[in-house]
Amino acid sequence: MSTATGKQFDQGLVNTIAAETQMSFIDGEKGILEYVGIDIDSLARNSTFEESTYLLWNGRLPNPTELAAFEQQLRAEYELPAGVIDMIRATPADAATMHTVQTLVSSLSLFDAEADDDSPEANIRKAIRLVAKTPTLIAAFDRHRKGKEIIAPDADRSIAGNFLWMLRGEEPTETMVRALDVCLVLHADHGFNASTFTSLVVISTLSDLYSACSAAVGALRGPLHGGANEGVMVMLNEIGDMSQVDGFMKGKLERKEKIMGFGHRVYKAYDPRATYLKTFAEGLARDTGNMPLYEMSTRIESIMHEAVADKGIFPNVDFYSATTYWSLGLDLDLFTPMFALSRMSGWTGHCIEYLKNNKLIRPGAAYVGPHEVPYVALCDR
Ligand code: SDX
């Protein structure tokens, strides 16, 4: 619908293309996701989070020397400024995890002399700091809130391996590290999703990368977006066991309540990330004694297929990431912070890309209120 000014009205920007990008391509009808032309299934099977981040930021895969150098740049930035550690220690143990992540991501700017330097070189250095430090601040807060000693990052470990090390202080198994690394690859980027678009709105004003990414964390928190993976786990715990699945789902569907982990603004086919995650979730669930969760999930999936597949509603990335993260032993309220940890790669990459051809993002609004209303003095109201 065109408004008086000739602008298109598009609630939720469903039919709006806001900019060009070379980072990720999504075909919602066919269920295709590519990072710089490489399909997500190949990346999940063969790549690492660090390599996929290099790909997203540089538009090509690194050669061995480039990958080693990039990994070193990231590892050199794992540590948190002492002031941020003090802030973590001052954070209430019962603080909401995503509020804490948003606050701490923003606090990194207070200790970065380049915070307001928006040169491409400084932005890349800040992007590396944000990707490298977000895992550390999440793990440090989790240790703090449990009354445990904060564990320093280990620069001999990958981002996935280092996160599990800092979280528990125990040697993670290779299977666990690989499972987490695959989740980070799968969640790294996804076009102009709500949180990425949030970061673009902020960076388009020529604000800074820390402001853009902490705003993006706020958007990701919502249950319609990144918060869905936590919502899936809450639902599985609420159902309890397989005998309750059918009755629970019947009630939800009759009440037309949204089922977390299903549906997508773009995918009207199976989310390709869910395809790979499902196989991973099964293997991990089997190894960790969580098969009942996985079996409940597959039962829910078949009920949903019967009920709403014809409306293009299929599992999205969050549905099987819930069982995967649970099997990894992550607390439920760490699921969405894991999403933020990974998507930091996409947020920073898109901000740097957008700045190359910046345009302030400022859509119109269709005013539907009154006109020519007289001002009535207070004493006459
Ligand atoms: C992510 O955008 C991205 O790329 C996001 C993401 C990324 O990587 O960044 O992929 C990550 O956020 C995945 C989505 C996680 N969210 C959820 O799982 C929450 C549950 N899903 C829904 O809230 C919903 O599917 C949305 C919000 C994801 C998308 O919804 P839309 O495009 O705004 O469509 P809609 O809400 O208007 O629904 C259209 C119809 C409605 O039915 P009718 O009123 O037409 O009869 O589909 C129904 C909805 O009721 N529907 C669902 C449903 N999702 C949509 N019905 C039951 N369960 C659901 N989950």
Side-chain angles (χ1 to χ4, degrees), residues 190 224-225 258-259 261-262 264-265 273 311 316 343:
H190 208 246
L224 294 189
H225 187 16
K258 297 257 174 76
I259 310 299
F262 283 84
H264 199 277
R265 172 59 60 79
R273 299 167 296 178
K311 289 170 71 174
N316 58 51
R343 190 54 58 86

Side-chain angles (χ1 to χ4, degrees), residues 21-25 34-37 56-57 189 345-346 349-350 353:
T21 178
Q22 296 181 27
M23 288 174 64
S24 51
F25 166 74
E34 297 169 348
Y35 291 172
V36 197
L56 288 165
W57 290 3
D189 194 41
S345 166
H350 276 288
E353 180 185 58

Side-chain angles (χ1 to χ4, degrees), residues 40-319:
I40 196 64
D41 204 69
S42 303
L43 289 166
R45 292 176 192 283
N46 302 292
S47 188
T48 63
F49 178 53
E50 288 87 342
E51 182 183 76
S52 293
T53 297
Y54 185 100
L55 169 66
L56 288 165
W57 290 3
N58 296 281
R60 62 174 177 81
L61 288 171
N63 65 36
T65 308
E66 290 164 330
L67 179 57
F70 185 57
E71 287 171 347
Q72 284 318 310
Q73 284 178 304
L74 286 164
R75 297 181 185 200
E77 291 286 4
Y78 280 169
E79 296 276 350
L80 294 175
V84 172
I85 294 174
D86 293 343
M87 291 172 85
I88 290 171
R89 292 204 166 99
T91 303
D94 62 351
T97 50
M98 281 298 275
H99 282 153
T100 303
V101 172
Q102 183 175 34
T103 305
L104 294 175
V105 164
S106 182
S107 76
L108 292 172
S109 63
L110 308 178
F111 305 92
D112 186 335
E114 296 187 305
D116 292 330
D117 179 345
D118 64 358
S119 66
E121 300 73 23
N123 275 340
I124 276 292
R125 287 193 290 271
K126 286 184 279 184
I128 286 170
R129 289 180 195 124
L130 279 158
V131 169
K133 294 179 190 315
T134 300
T136 312
L137 61 84
I138 294 170
F141 172 65
D142 189 58
R143 298 286 293 186
H144 157 70
R145 70 172 177 169
K146 291 172 180 167
K148 297 176 180 175
E149 259 310 295
I150 291 172
I151 295 174
D154 177 352
D156 292 333
R157 298 174 190 266
S158 67
I159 287 176
N162 185 42
F163 179 75
L164 293 174
W165 163 252
M166 294 186 293
L167 203 61
R168 302 197 182 109
E170 296 158 4
E171 196 57 45
T173 65
E174 275 187 31
T175 307
M176 293 278 191
V177 173
R178 182 60 191 148
L180 181 57
D181 196 30
V182 168
C183 288
L184 300 183
V185 169
L186 291 170
H187 285 82
D189 194 41
H190 208 246
F192 289 176
N193 55 85
S195 55
T196 297
F197 191 67
T198 299
S199 70
L200 295 186
V201 171
V202 173
I203 209 74
S204 79
T205 71
L206 298 188
S207 182
D208 68 288
L209 219 44
Y210 288 108
S211 300
C213 291
S214 54
V217 174
L220 186 71
R221 179 173 182 274
L224 294 189
H225 187 16
N229 57 17
E230 184 175 336
V232 170
M233 202 65 231
V234 166
M235 174 178 72
L236 291 170
N237 286 337
E238 194 184 327
I239 293 172
D241 63 47
M242 184 64 101
S243 67
Q244 303 302 315
V245 170
D246 286 42
F248 178 89
M249 289 300 294
K250 188 169 177 295
K252 294 283 276 189
L253 290 167
E254 277 169 358
R255 297 189 298 271
K256 285 186 78 66
E257 290 173 14
K258 297 257 174 76
I259 310 299
M260 294 295 108
F262 283 84
H264 199 277
R265 172 59 60 79
V266 180
Y267 289 123
K268 301 312 168 194
Y270 215 98
D271 184 331
R273 299 167 296 178
T275 312
Y276 193 75
L277 260 180
K278 181 175 179 178
T279 54
F280 234 89
E282 181 175 12
L284 257 182
R286 195 181 307 287
D287 294 352
T288 56
N290 284 297
M291 275 312 276
L293 270 186
Y294 176 77
E295 285 154 3
M296 283 164 60
S297 299
T298 53
R299 178 67 192 142
I300 289 167
E301 182 183 343
S302 58
I303 293 170
M304 286 295 279
H305 189 82
E306 286 272 305
V308 290
D310 59 343
K311 289 170 71 174
I313 300 169
F314 294 88
N316 58 51
V317 67
D318 292 302
F319 189 58

